[in-house]
Amino acid sequence: MESLKMAVDYGIIWLLALLSVIALACAIERLYVYQRISIRDFREKRALELELTRKLHVIATIGSNAPYLGLLGTVMGIMLTFHTMGTEGFMDTNKIMVGLALALKATAVGLFVAIPSVTLYNLLLRRTKVLLIQWELAHGREGSQLH
């Protein structure tokens, strides 16, 4: 069961930390692209849209899955606590509280990764929509019209 404790402490929490860095790096890269992009360089709206939405799915995926990874860590931490309680019989409440704190730490880290990731995704998506509308206005088009 010590390996389960290590998996929660180091595996899941470090994975969430890595995903947080990846989401932040993608968001910074996208902001840089949005500042440098010239919508006049694109003749087709679809080509602009492809360039603007590149890597946004990575941020969205991290934001939507981080809480589940945190929940997985929570379940594993609670399983570890119950296993320890079952094998040792009567347990000191301090050991129980430490096990539950470990479990809740994973949930907190999952939310700590998810909330900024989803926020960044929404802000970048809004910026993408603004740039696409600016392209339409600059090119005198209403976007995709059905005939």
Side-chain angles (χ1 to χ4, degrees):
M1 277 298 165
E2 188 61 30
S3 61
L4 186 59
K5 182 179 186 295
M6 296 290 282
V8 173
D9 245 352
Y10 297 107
I12 291 180
I13 291 176
W14 281 106
L15 175 62
L16 285 165
L18 175 65
L19 291 175
S20 178
V21 169
I22 291 170
L24 185 59
C26 286
I28 290 170
E29 186 269 342
R30 288 286 86 199
L31 286 171
Y32 180 78
V33 167
Y34 294 168
Q35 287 178 347
R36 301 277 185 239
I37 201 162
S38 172
I39 58 173
R40 298 191 196 300
D41 292 344
F42 292 87
R43 296 184 60 166
E44 293 185 26
K45 180 181 174 186
R46 303 293 267 163
L48 175 62
E49 189 172 2
L50 279 173
E51 179 60 30
L52 293 174
T53 58
R54 186 172 289 136
K55 297 183 187 174
L56 287 183
H57 67 283
V58 174
I59 301 169
T61 301
I62 291 170
S64 62
N65 287 302
Y68 296 116
L69 287 171
L71 181 60
L72 175 63
T74 299
V75 169
M76 290 169 65
I78 290 172
M79 285 172 44
L80 175 66
T81 301
F82 286 148
H83 180 269
T84 305
M85 287 170 56
T87 57
E88 292 183 11
F90 180 73
M91 259 182 81
D92 184 18
T93 54
N94 288 340
K95 281 188 175 182
I96 296 171
M97 291 303 131
V98 168
L100 294 178
L102 171 68
L104 293 174
K105 181 170 63 171
T107 300
V109 172
L111 292 173
F112 186 73
V113 172
I115 292 169
S117 295
V118 170
T119 302
L120 286 169
Y121 172 76
N122 287 328
L123 291 172
L124 292 169
L125 191 61
R126 170 66 180 146
R127 183 69 180 133
T128 296
K129 289 179 181 180
V130 166
L131 288 168
L132 288 171
I133 290 170
Q134 288 174 345
W135 182 91
E136 289 174 358
L137 293 173
H139 291 80
R141 299 182 185 160
E142 296 272 333
S144 59
Q145 297 176 346
L146 298 176
H147 294 281

